[in-house]
Amino acid sequence: MTIRVLVVEDDPVAADAHALYVGRVPGFVVVGVAHSRAEAVRALDRAEVDLLLLDLYLPDGHGLHLVRSLRAAGHSTDVIAVTSARDLAIVREGVSLGVVQYVLKPFTFATLRDRLGRYAEFRAAAGEASGQDEVDRALAALRAPRNATTLPKGLSGPTLEAVTRTLRDSGEGLTATEAAAAVGISRITARRYLEHLVTAGRAVRSPQYGQIGRPELQYRWVSTRH
């Protein structure tokens, strides 16, 4: 059975990346992309949707407010929250509203593929459980393994956070050389992390002209609010 997904993300670059990722996972199809809470409501009225891939920070209201209004209106659509928010109070509130997974930005295709695969496994479970063990197995399908890796080999979470924070605070953007100096790592290492952010849809790159020699790439955060 094909799982129909509505991507809700206000950043156009990130929205396109998320839709591309979902389309690459067998068994999933993107039926629409919305850039606001109002667009999401209209999309849900027009199409059958099984799963919302939902950013929590939207220009016209918090994503959980959208989920709450959908539940009040009788919508049972499942939700995977895609966000940089790490507030556990928000996580608890999301769970109470039926958010089945959280994916923290920035993330790789492999991370989202794993979460979607686990959701599909959970959704496919049907019939009456024979006992507690079977119920536990069905719920465990939604949980990521403890040793799951969400970053390419050689990249670390703390360094990624440092590079991400530096880039977000830079305003006009940074070259790999500038990012390396700010974080205290080599230029080659900084470039790997910056390229990872580009792949994840959280940064864009463009050549920086006006200097002698080969132009250097400049990286810019695509959204200062997330």
Side-chain angles (χ1 to χ4, degrees), residues 12-28:
V13 176
D16 289 345
H18 297 170
L20 178 64
Y21 283 177
V22 172
R24 290 170 58 188
V25 180
F28 290 82

Side-chain angles (χ1 to χ4, degrees), residues 61-207:
H62 198 279
L64 291 185
H65 296 166
L66 169 62
V67 179
R68 188 177 294 108
S69 65
L70 292 177
R71 297 296 182 249
H75 285 281
S76 59
T77 307
D78 288 325
V79 178
I80 292 180
V82 179
T83 179
S84 59
R86 288 168 167 78
D87 187 339
L88 292 180
I90 292 178
V91 173
R92 288 194 296 272
E93 183 180 359
V95 170
S96 71
L97 292 171
V99 175
V100 297
Q101 285 273 14
Y102 275 83
V103 182
L104 290 179
K105 299 176 180 177
F107 59 88
T108 64
F109 167 66
T111 297
L112 184 60
R113 179 182 58 195
D114 174 76
R115 299 303 191 274
L116 292 178
R118 290 175 177 277
Y119 169 74
E121 183 180 344
F122 171 76
R123 185 181 175 87
E128 185 174 346
S130 59
Q132 184 68 51
D133 288 346
E134 192 167 343
V135 172
D136 291 342
R137 282 195 299 272
L139 292 175
L142 288 174
R143 305 189 190 114
R146 292 183 185 274
N147 62 352
T149 177
T150 60
L151 292 174
K153 185 177 180 180
L155 301 190
S156 73
T159 303
L160 177 60
E161 288 188 10
V163 172
T164 298
R165 183 170 56 252
T166 299
L167 186 62
R168 290 174 66 176
D169 294 343
S170 66
E172 296 301 317
L174 293 171
T175 65
T177 300
E178 292 167 338
V183 178
I185 55 180
S186 72
R187 185 185 67 83
I188 293 176
T189 299
R191 187 173 184 275
R192 288 191 63 202
Y193 283 92
L194 291 168
E195 286 294 326
H196 169 72
L197 291 174
V198 171
T199 300
R202 306 313 304 147
V204 293
R205 60 174 178 259
S206 59

Side-chain angles (χ1 to χ4, degrees), residues 44-77:
L44 286 164
D45 288 337
R46 292 193 305 264
E48 292 291 329
V49 176
D50 302 308
L51 176 66
L52 286 179
L53 194 63
L54 176 66
D55 177 36
L56 293 188
Y57 293 100
L58 299 171
D60 54 352
H62 198 279
L64 291 185
H65 296 166
L66 169 62
V67 179
R68 188 177 294 108
S69 65
L70 292 177
R71 297 296 182 249
H75 285 281
S76 59
T77 307

